[in-house]
Amino acid sequence: RVDLVTSGGGSVQAGGSLTLSCVVSGDTSNFAGFNCVGWFRWPPGKEYEGLGKIYTSGGTTLYTDAVKGRFTLSMDTTKSTVNLQIDNLEPADTGFYRCAVTYMDYACREWRWSGFGYQGQGTQVTVTS
């Protein structure tokens, strides 16, 4: 069993920063065996968007163009934790943020939420102007 706990959301003024945390618990003895940890968000009334992903083996990070330069992923394998720092928040960043892990390469490569077998409960981020 693997559980993901997401925290760190809240209401922030535009221009501010937030750090979201994703802690993977349970059978994490093979945390590095996951292909990647991904972060996604659901803007109000819209489909999900992939934001960033970090490969647990090696720590390579990749971001979608929409967030590149403002979003930063970091990982602590000793704590099975992946953090997403968001700088210079914009109202368009408002949404429900969730992290997830997967063993499936295609899910990581294609930002395929349905391929992430273990999904966090999520946290709300609201950015006010």
Side-chain angles (χ1 to χ4, degrees):
R1 177 187 173 89
V2 175
D3 295 308
L4 283 73
V5 177
T6 316
S7 62
S11 183
V12 185
Q13 283 195 320
S17 297
L18 275 178
T19 298
L20 308 183
S21 177
C22 177
V23 180
V24 182
S25 64
D27 184 11
T28 59
S29 60
N30 195 28
F31 179 77
F34 290 117
N35 197 292
C36 76
V37 178
W39 279 91
F40 300 80
R41 72 182 174 196
W42 281 254
K46 296 182 179 180
E47 293 294 315
Y48 74 87
E49 301 173 330
L51 303 174
K53 56 192 172 186
I54 185 165
Y55 287 85
T56 58
S57 180
T60 299
T61 56
L62 290 169
Y63 305 91
T64 55
D65 288 343
V67 304
K68 198 176 296 183
R70 296 191 301 116
F71 285 40
T72 305
L73 286 165
S74 61
M75 178 173 66
D76 185 341
T77 56
T78 65
K79 298 180 180 179
S80 300
T81 298
V82 173
N83 290 333
L84 177 66
Q85 179 175 329
I86 310 173
D87 296 319
N88 195 20
L89 280 155
E90 304 168 354
D93 293 320
T94 294
F96 193 66
Y97 286 66
R98 299 178 72 180
C99 65
V101 296
T102 182
Y103 291 111
M104 311 301 283
D105 179 65
Y106 84 91
C108 295
R109 190 173 63 249
E110 299 175 13
W111 301 94
R112 194 78 66 85
W113 173 255
S114 62
F116 283 76
Y118 303 99
Q119 302 165 349
Q121 86 286 4
T123 187
Q124 177 69 33
V125 173
T126 301
V127 184
T128 58
S129 56

